[in-house]
Amino acid sequence: MKTKLLLIGSASMLATATGANAADPVVVIEPVTANYVEVCDAFGSGYFYVPGTETCLSVGGYVRFETKFGGIQTGSSADGDWYPYVKANLAITAKTDTELGTLTSRMVPEFYFYSNGTGDEVKFDEAYIEIGNAVALRAGYIKGYWNQDLWGELDNIDNVSRYNSIRLGYYGADHFQAALSVDAMTPDDVGTDDLAKLGLSARLGYVVSDSNYLKLDAAYDTHNETYAIRPWAGFGIGPGTLEIAGLYESGFIAYGPDFTAANWDDSPIADTYLKYAVAANYYFNVTEDLILAPQAQYNVASNDKVFWEAGATADWEIVDDFHLRTNVNYAFLDDDWNQQNWFGWVRLERDF
């Protein structure tokens, strides 16, 4: 009987203790959600969603070390025979789908570090807002079509054409392109001390790929009432691509090449512009990682002085996104030109 009472008492105590513990409050700790970056594949590779938004962001660019040597512009000892410089390019692009099409903003600051005594500088390659897809409106600091050239980079059919602009363009799935840009040109661009003047630049094109295209660029300077036209084309032939381009300028115009810089002062074409030009190159893969592009150009300055250029560019991708690119060019000049004939550059570049 005593044993039975002892067992009943123990069970009662255990039940009482268990009931007391069950009555205690239970604290549940919520797991912390990991804030992962989500890939955005709506606009191609390299984009990711800005956390908490529907905006897709891409960050890219390159770091470049380059040294130039010689040049038909370096007849004066003040120009020097060679100099290295470093350039860092950072491209930041944001895209969002809207009811009016893709809303894009892009800014590309560039940082230059020189060794030729001109000092370092920071400037924008471009910075703009764009909305639309097949039909798109772009406004901002725009790198224009006249800033483009042939693959080999030896040609002289372009100029540094970046302006505060408004551009309306059509880029359809049918491969046709058409665009018109209204450009605010600076007084220096048009050679005046007045307020900035307007320029017009346009493109018509049929572009199937980088290797197969037809393009026609045109530009008009409303201050000087001059114009320039530039037809060019690319054809995939054999193992590579043949590119050919022409240029005509009716007078001095900022969109096209000219010879007004101080380092042309000792040249027979000083203070002239490039009236006519024809350039061609053929680039192809020698190996999977090595591209070669021989190129030639025929030039006529506005004072009817004629000269030829010929050379080649080679691009070796040492490892993924790391390139060694170099070119060598030779200018066929008259004996009375106080100029050097050989010129080119060597470049190391890491893209990301």
Side-chain angles (χ1 to χ4, degrees):
M1 187 66 178
K2 289 181 180 180
T3 302
K4 185 176 180 180
L5 290 174
L6 180 61
L7 291 174
I8 292 172
S10 299
S12 299
M13 291 177 63
L14 181 61
T16 302
T18 304
N21 288 336
D24 291 341
V26 177
V27 179
V28 178
I29 300 176
E30 294 288 344
V32 177
T33 302
N35 195 11
Y36 294 108
V37 174
E38 186 177 354
V39 173
C40 171
D41 56 7
F43 306 108
S45 61
Y47 285 88
F48 59 91
Y49 284 103
V50 177
T53 74
E54 294 298 318
T55 299
C56 296
L57 193 67
S58 171
V59 179
Y62 57 85
V63 176
R64 173 187 298 172
F65 173 84
E66 179 175 311
T67 182
K68 298 182 179 182
F69 56 88
I72 58 174
Q73 309 99 301
T74 57
S76 168
S77 59
D79 298 314
D81 290 332
W82 72 283
Y83 70 89
Y85 76 97
V86 173
K87 176 182 178 182
N89 173 290
L90 180 64
I92 304 171
T93 306
K95 291 181 177 288
T96 308
D97 271 327
T98 75
E99 60 273 16
L100 296 179
T102 303
L103 175 61
T104 301
S105 61
R106 178 176 171 85
M107 61 177 181
V108 187
E110 293 185 323
F111 308 86
Y112 292 82
F113 309 93
Y114 296 105
S115 299
N116 65 344
T118 58
D120 304 331
E121 63 178 336
V122 178
K123 59 184 180 181
F124 274 93
D125 187 47
E126 55 186 351
Y128 63 80
I129 301 169
E130 181 178 82
I131 189 162
N133 293 319
V135 178
L137 178 67
R138 180 179 296 187
Y141 186 62
I142 298 173
K143 183 165 61 174
Y145 293 123
W146 284 84
N147 209 83
Q148 301 174 4
D149 56 4
L150 302 184
W151 187 91
E153 298 185 59
L154 294 178
D155 52 273
N156 193 25
I157 59 168
D158 61 312
N159 206 349
V160 180
S161 299
R162 298 178 179 90
Y163 306 109
N164 290 327
S165 308
I166 298 176
R167 177 196 293 175
L168 181 63
Y170 169 77
Y171 314 95
D174 53 5
H175 306 301
F176 282 100
Q177 296 182 358
L180 176 65
S181 180
V182 179
D183 308 316
M185 307 178 78
T186 68
D188 288 342
D189 291 329
V190 298
T192 179
D193 294 329
D194 297 335
L195 296 176
K197 303 296 182 179
L198 291 181
L200 301 175
S201 55
R203 165 168 288 181
L204 292 176
Y206 182 76
V207 181
V208 178
S209 66
D210 290 340
S211 297
N212 293 280
Y213 64 83
L214 296 171
K215 300 174 185 176
L216 176 63
D217 296 329
Y220 181 70
D221 178 344
T222 63
H223 176 77
N224 293 305
E225 298 183 346
T226 54
Y227 66 90
I229 57 174
R230 183 180 64 170
W232 49 327
F235 306 96
I237 299 176
T241 300
L242 172 67
E243 293 183 303
I244 185 168
L247 172 70
Y248 171 73
E249 297 182 48
S250 69
F252 171 79
I253 188 169
Y255 295 96
D258 62 71
F259 311 106
T260 59
N263 55 2
W264 289 97
D265 286 348
D266 57 353
S267 167
I269 57 174
D271 297 319
T272 68
Y273 56 89
L274 189 58
K275 189 173 184 178
Y276 301 103
V278 178
N281 74 189
Y282 182 75
Y283 65 92
F284 60 98
N285 278 84
V286 179
T287 67
E288 183 178 355
D289 302 318
L290 177 62
I291 300 175
L292 182 64
Q295 184 169 312
Q297 180 165 337
Y298 173 78
N299 305 289
V300 180
S302 57
N303 63 355
D304 295 327
K305 292 289 186 178
V306 177
F307 63 99
W308 283 83
E309 299 172 71
T313 298
D315 186 295
W316 175 32
E317 188 171 21
I318 302 171
V319 296
D320 288 347
D321 300 322
F322 180 45
H323 293 254
L324 169 62
R325 193 170 193 178
T326 184
N327 72 39
V328 177
N329 210 18
Y330 184 83
F332 299 85
L333 307 174
D334 292 339
D335 292 338
D336 62 341
W337 287 38
N338 180 25
Q339 303 288 320
Q340 297 181 30
N341 292 50
W342 289 100
F343 59 101
W345 43 257
V346 179
R347 175 188 303 167
L348 284 172
E349 182 173 302
R350 200 284 192 210
D351 304 323
F352 59 90

